[in-house]
Amino acid sequence: MAINRSNTHIYDKIIRLLVLALSLFCASTFADTLLVEKQRFMLKDFTTTSGVVLPEIQIGWEAYGSLNKEKSNAILVPHYFLGTSHAAGKYAETDKHTGYWNSIIGPGKAIDTNKFYVISSDSLANTNVKDPNVFTTGPASIDPVTNKPYGLSFPVLMIRDLVNAQHALIKSLGISKLHAVAGTSMGALQALEWSSAYPNMVPRIIAVTGMAEADGLAIAELEKWAIPIKDDPNWNQGDYYEKEEPIDGLTKSMRSIVMIAHHGYIFDRRFKDEMRDDPGPRQSILNEFKINTWLNKYAAYRASKADANHVLYYIRANQLFRLGNKATLAEGVAPIKAKILLLPSKNDVLFPLYHMQSLYTQMLIQKKNVFYDEIEGPWGHLDGIYAVATKADVIKNFIEE
């Protein structure tokens, strides 16, 4: 029997509601299970891919579970663009929120801390400079040579630089081989880079809502986040640390980031009835739509935690990304020995499906051990956080087989 368009729309809504319910159930079922402590790792004379030597770097990190005697059960979790190392649990019982992957990291979960020692680190130039739990080196840090903030004298970073700093952390713990690396969004870029940069050290990679190389569209989309900061007069070519911050530009940048990251959930669902129910915008141009009010408020909150230059450095690292830091994707894929699980989101508008599909195709061409599945959730790019628990069994089986 043929199904008309209206019925198809209804069925689609039912499926999405079921996915939403399952994700929320997983998150609530596995909440508040771990208490964690933020730790510091410091390294002297860190050489970036550009050849610039930083006299000293530090990155924050935390861990869940216990490292076994052989030091063979460690799983690394790099974070997403606006994230931190806080991937699971809480720092204190009174914390309102858990880490972003709390639904899949913990005792008995997809990434089982009864079996694995899960390490999550802040990446160099972490955006959350004003978060008291973040102290990772970046443009806002003091240059020990000048005793002033680096600003734009800080070297441009590649995703490889973030991975190399993590590699130094892992080696300092006496770990010579990881069990796996798993991440979402920019964390997926780092996970994939691990597979090419250190092929003998990582047997398993899980890349959620990521990409293997930035094409022209990705570069242009990411630049939308940079433009408001650069257009703010207070940015002053990155020299603002002893002056007024470019908070207006940073807030607008955060608004752009939030708009694309929350695309599916916010625009198609949370405010879907606004046109019908809210008379304000019809009465005056000065009256805001509820969605714009929400976006502005949330963007201001994100901006209150961030530093403008750090955001620009992450934008550029993503724009410059090509797996393996090679001239072509094929060259970047060539060294990989790990088995790879690719988990894009069907509704991702930041890194659409074709990014992961092209990587999957290239890996098949080179006869790599690669698996592909898709997340179907209502949050778009943020399905990698809020709907990842719908793939808990897939992740668990991949890690443990």
Side-chain angles (χ1 to χ4, degrees), residues 80 100-101 103 184 208-209 375 379 381-389:
Y80 59 98
Y100 64 91
W101 260 10
S103 64
T184 185
V208 184
T209 60
I375 300 173
W379 288 279
H381 186 65
L382 290 186
D383 283 335
I385 297 175
Y386 299 129
V388 70

Side-chain angles (χ1 to χ4, degrees), residues 19-71:
V19 170
L20 173 60
L22 177 59
S23 299
L24 293 175
F25 170 76
C26 291
S28 62
T29 300
F30 297 133
D32 307 340
T33 56
L34 299 168
L35 284 179
V36 296
E37 180 182 357
K38 193 70 173 268
Q39 303 182 65
R40 293 175 187 257
F41 168 69
M42 301 184 70
L43 179 68
K44 299 288 186 181
D45 298 327
F46 177 78
T47 303
T48 66
T49 54
S50 63
V52 175
V53 178
L54 295 170
E56 180 181 278
I57 63 167
Q58 64 174 326
I59 57 177
W61 66 284
E62 55 198 76
Y64 329 100
S66 299
L67 187 62
N68 63 18
K69 183 179 179 180
E70 298 77 20
K71 297 188 176 182

Side-chain angles (χ1 to χ4, degrees), residues 66-74 173-178:
S66 299
L67 187 62
N68 63 18
K69 183 179 179 180
E70 298 77 20
K71 297 188 176 182
S72 61
N73 68 331
L173 298 174
I175 298 169
S176 59
K177 189 173 184 178
L178 291 163

